[in-house]
Amino acid sequence: MDIGFIGLGIMGRPMALNLAKAGHTLFVPERASLPEDIRAAATVLPDAAAVAAKAEVVILMLPDTPDVEAVLFGAGGIAASLKPGTLVIDMSSISPTVTKGFAETLVAAGCGWVDAPVSGGEVGAKAASLTIMCGGSDADFARALPLFELMGKNITHVGPAGAGQTCKVANQIIVALNIEAVAEALVFATKAGADPARVRQALMGGFASSKILEIHGERMIKRTFAPGFRIRLHQKDLNLALSAGRDLGVALPNTASAQQLFSAVAAMGGADLDHSALVKALETMAAQKVAAD
């Protein structure tokens, strides 16, 4: 396929490269920061509108709802350049409610739509092992599936447009609360005089075992907070959860507490650290670090 890819950051870059490695033709918009491996793998066009005019499928991997709206419908946006029949796949994590409106507008113009946010971080993007949560029609999902299979392993058609984004918000609630739980446990163990590395090792063999304990627990102990997924982006996702919760009349008390911990780390200058750095807020409150920085 001729694929346009817009959004080549920590996640988007390896996802796009996996598509190119599989033999698809890749079109990307020019940017001064465009990585050299993307330049080598893709045809670079002047802007996003030019990418949309060339592509059968346009994939978006952008930070937030306003970014997606600007690329789709803002000045120089792609909507005016899309040919009827073009499939737009939004793999960003954005508002489920706003997503439904985007889908309705593009489908009315004769295009296809799938919202397909992902989980798995930079590691999953590089390994093509992402979890992909999809919303859209059966026909549009079937058309997108061969591309998803080049980027992920656990691929689920959750329901109509917007359902993928709803699933991703639920995912981010679970991830945040698991990070908070692992951080609390390791701070507690360290304060009590136990070796946090050995505590983590012991817990990995029991019912408390999880990917968060495995990967982010190790980050907390080794102080490797270079971003796989930035705190500020997880804050954005929890804002979506809390906003939707208010609209639905659903109480999300633990989501709110996790957001407050992220906000505390961000206030200390850590908004661009990996979300496992949530532990820093708990360490400050306990006057006890899991390990020295």
Side-chain angles (χ1 to χ4, degrees):
M1 292 184 184
D2 290 339
I3 301 172
F5 206 110
I6 301 170
L8 295 159
I10 288 174
M11 299 286 289
R13 174 173 162 255
M15 292 163 66
L17 289 172
N18 283 331
L19 294 172
K21 288 173 188 174
H24 293 289
T25 301
L26 202 62
F27 298 98
V28 302
E30 178 63 83
R31 289 186 65 187
S33 59
L34 203 62
E36 288 304 315
D37 52 3
I38 291 289
R39 290 187 184 277
T43 298
V44 182
L45 298 175
D47 52 34
V51 167
K54 281 278 192 181
E56 302 169 64
V57 177
V58 177
I59 297 175
L60 308 179
M61 188 60 178
L62 299 164
D64 203 350
T65 307
D67 303 298
V68 175
E69 184 171 21
V71 166
L72 289 174
F73 305 114
I78 69 172
S81 301
L82 294 170
K83 301 181 292 290
T86 302
L87 176 63
V88 177
I89 302 173
D90 182 23
M91 304 188 78
S92 320
S93 296
I94 67 169
S95 164
T97 304
V98 176
T99 289
K100 292 176 185 178
F102 292 165
E104 289 170 3
T105 299
L106 292 177
V107 169
C111 296
W113 172 274
V114 178
D115 47 281
V118 303
S119 180
E122 183 182 11
V123 172
K126 288 180 176 178
S129 62
L130 292 167
T131 290
I132 306 177
M133 302 153 256
C134 306
S137 70
D138 290 343
D140 288 339
F141 173 74
R143 188 176 168 196
L145 182 58
L147 301 180
F148 294 150
E149 290 173 338
L150 298 172
M151 295 182 282
K153 297 296 184 187
N154 180 24
I155 303 158
T156 305
H157 185 197
V158 180
Q165 296 294 355
T166 297
C167 187
K168 178 58 187 291
V169 169
N171 178 87
Q172 295 303 80
I173 292 172
I174 292 170
V175 171
L177 269 57
N178 271 276
I179 292 173
E180 182 178 354
V182 169
E184 285 192 14
L186 293 181
V187 170
F188 163 77
T190 307
K191 188 82 170 183
D195 180 340
R198 293 189 180 188
V199 168
R200 173 183 166 276
Q201 181 181 355
L203 295 178
M204 283 299 299
F207 203 53
S209 179
S210 69
K211 281 290 184 184
I212 299 296
L213 179 62
E214 177 188 354
I215 295 170
H216 289 334
E218 183 177 48
R219 282 176 174 266
M220 294 171 194
I221 293 164
K222 293 187 175 179
R223 317 308 279 180
T224 50
F225 296 130
F229 188 73
R230 299 176 195 273
I231 280 177
R232 61 180 172 82
L233 294 178
H234 211 144
Q235 285 181 291
K236 177 263 298 183
D237 291 340
L238 295 191
N239 280 337
L240 293 175
L242 294 167
S243 176
R246 284 192 296 272
D247 293 342
L248 295 168
V250 175
L252 301 171
N254 294 310
T255 302
S257 72
Q259 182 71 306
Q260 290 299 312
L261 294 171
F262 280 137
S263 295
V265 180
M268 293 186 282
D272 285 314
L273 295 178
D274 185 80
H275 53 173
S276 57
L278 175 148
V279 71
K280 287 176 170 284
L282 294 167
E283 290 171 335
T284 298
M285 288 190 286
Q288 176 67 60
K289 289 191 174 183
V290 170
D293 288 315

